[in-house]
């Protein structure tokens, strides 16, 4: 018998004989603590304990990624917002470390380009680890650059893309990297992603900050925002919420 189990069992108030015999199913029941009760919402509605980053009204939770200026320059219309080409990336005012993120996105209905030029945007976790947004419906490009890839690092397990002009979802569970005091990496960032409800990244270790050219590396940092990419294509977003973990 493991000592740890025995002491935990005794601490939980069971008798020595019960703990020693391990025959009572109650021994492995955990009653406390109790997970908080929340309203799970629905695809269209955030859970009751989420931080809503866009509720269809305005970009008050967002600033220019370049200089922090407000309001973020992208266009809000009919409950969604859309990249305004040339105005640059936008990022959240709030910073996060480990979190669950829900975000919905839509690439243009009218296909005007191909490869990386077709509905390109991106969700940069901690402003530097890109989960690619791209119209990858019948659109050939490098595998680790298609929708759902950790850009230039890890391709998605499957291509769960919907067509151009259709709303798509990412549900992300992100664990921030940890660093030692001397700046060395202690543990890499990890990411799990469901694309349109389908698992496409399963606790994937991230190799470092996204690089267009060259190998990704880590540089020590603390909590940071969520950044969305202006890649020149009018990609739209809606219903964005995050839960700190
Ligand atoms: Mg991108």
């Amino acid at each position: 018998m493991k000592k740890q189990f025995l002491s935990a069992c005794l601490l939980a108030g069971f008798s020595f004989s019960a703990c020693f015999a391990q025959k009572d199913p109650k021994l492995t029941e955990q009653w406390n603590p109790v997970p908080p009760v929340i309203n799970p919402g629905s695809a269209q509605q955030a859970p009751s304990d989420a931080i809503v980053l866009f509720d269809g009204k305005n970009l008050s939770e967002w600033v220019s990624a370049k200089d922090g200026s407000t309001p973020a320059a992208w266009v809000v219309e009919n409950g969604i917002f859309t990249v305004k080409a040339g105005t640059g990336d936008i990022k959240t005012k709030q910073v996060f470390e480990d979190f669950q993120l829900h975000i919905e996105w839509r690439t243009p209905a009218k296909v005007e380009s191909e490869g990386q030029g077709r509905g390109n945007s991106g969700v940069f976790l901690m402003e530097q680890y890109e989960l690619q947004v791209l119209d990858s419906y019948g659109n050939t490009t490098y595998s680790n650059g298609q929708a759902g890839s950790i850009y230039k690092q890890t391709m998605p397990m499957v291509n769960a893309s919907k067509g151009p002009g259709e709303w798509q979802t990412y549900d992300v569970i992100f664990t921030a990297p940890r660093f030692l005091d001397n700046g060395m990496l202690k543990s890499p960032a990890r990411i799990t992603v469901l694309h349109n409800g389908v698992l496409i990244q399963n606790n994937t270790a991230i190799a470092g900050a996204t690089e267009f050219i060259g190998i990704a590396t880590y540089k020590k940092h603390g909590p940071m925002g969520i950044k969305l990419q202006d890649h020149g294509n009018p990609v739209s977003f809606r219903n964005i919420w995050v839960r700190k973990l």
Side-chain angles (χ1 to χ4, degrees), residues 21-130:
Q22 290 190 63
K23 284 195 175 140
D24 187 343
K26 286 194 170 59
L27 295 178
T28 44
E29 293 177 359
Q30 185 190 354
W31 287 73
N32 276 295
V34 175
V37 175
I38 64 154
N39 181 334
S42 66
Q44 296 302 314
Q45 188 199 349
S48 57
D49 63 344
I51 297 166
V52 175
L53 295 175
F54 180 66
D55 63 0
K57 296 190 184 81
N58 58 57
L59 288 173
S60 60
E61 289 288 333
W62 301 80
V63 299
S64 159
K66 203 165 32 194
D67 56 14
S69 62
T70 54
W74 294 8
V75 181
V76 181
E77 209 171 36
N78 301 325
I80 69 173
F81 69 86
T82 302
V83 174
K84 189 174 179 188
T87 60
D89 302 345
I90 66 171
K91 67 175 182 179
T92 57
K93 284 181 186 170
Q94 298 187 61
V95 296
F96 306 98
E97 199 161 26
D98 302 339
F99 56 87
Q100 174 184 357
L101 169 71
H102 175 88
I103 186 164
E104 301 181 17
W105 53 274
R106 184 184 71 182
T107 60
K110 191 170 175 220
V111 174
E112 293 189 297
S113 187
E114 58 182 340
Q116 291 290 312
R118 188 167 142 184
N120 194 332
S121 182
V123 182
F124 282 75
L125 297 320
M126 301 193 99
E127 304 175 37
Q128 57 199 297
Y129 311 109
E130 184 182 14

Side-chain angles (χ1 to χ4, degrees), residues 116 120-124 130-134 151 229 231:
Q116 291 290 312
N120 194 332
S121 182
V123 182
F124 282 75
E130 184 182 14
L131 169 60
Q132 174 70 308
V133 168
L134 193 74
Y151 185 73
Q229 184 184 42
H231 202 281

